Amino acid sequence: QVQLVESGGGLVQAGGSLRLSCAASGSIVSINSMGWYRQAPGKQRELVAAITSGGSTDYVDSVKGRFTLSRDNAKNTVYLQMNSLKPEDTAVYYCNAKGIRVRNVGVLANYWGQGTQVTVSS
């Protein structure tokens, strides 16, 4: 009934850029917040960036000034523009949505995409 479709991952040289997209599909009335988490091998999953329906953003310190999260509410889509990429940004990136209100169903508290690989070479 709800699907998070991720795209934009890949391999890039250090200093390069990538843009990740995440589109939520289904009979969606509203989404409280959307964003991206990442998990590197042997590391904990961490929040990269999130944005609320009102436009408030939150970033992990290590990406501030380099990554920008934006949204298109009409398409239930978020975009993560990643600039000045570093090898330490290498991870699987997971789209996340919180508070998805589905028509005639209810609210999904927390929903995850399947993940997309981002690899930054030195």
Side-chain angles (χ1 to χ4, degrees):
Q1 54 189 304
V2 173
Q3 185 178 17
L4 300 181
V5 180
E6 302 157 324
S7 63
L11 175 65
V12 67
Q13 293 284 112
S17 298
L18 287 171
R19 189 182 74 159
L20 304 183
S21 299
C22 177
S25 63
S27 299
I28 297 171
V29 177
S30 62
I31 301 175
N32 186 56
S33 68
M34 296 183 70
W36 291 90
Y37 288 70
R38 67 185 180 187
Q39 187 166 25
K43 304 293 185 180
Q44 298 178 190
R45 186 176 298 189
E46 66 174 354
L47 174 71
V48 179
I51 187 166
T52 69
S53 60
S56 298
T57 54
D58 188 22
Y59 298 90
V60 66
D61 286 345
S62 61
V63 309
K64 289 180 179 177
R66 300 189 296 122
F67 292 8
T68 302
L69 188 66
S70 61
R71 74 187 191 282
D72 184 340
N73 287 335
K75 298 179 179 179
N76 288 316
T77 300
V78 292
Y79 306 92
L80 184 65
Q81 180 66 46
M82 304 186 293
N83 298 326
S84 302
L85 282 161
K86 304 174 180 179
E88 51 263 44
D89 295 318
T90 296
V92 177
Y93 284 68
Y94 297 90
C95 183
N96 177 75
K98 291 182 170 64
I100 305 175
R101 185 175 297 278
V102 181
R103 185 172 289 106
N104 297 322
V105 175
V107 178
L108 302 177
N110 209 331
Y111 206 85
W112 295 90
Q114 292 186 336
T116 184
Q117 178 71 46
V118 171
T119 302
V120 184
S121 62
S122 60

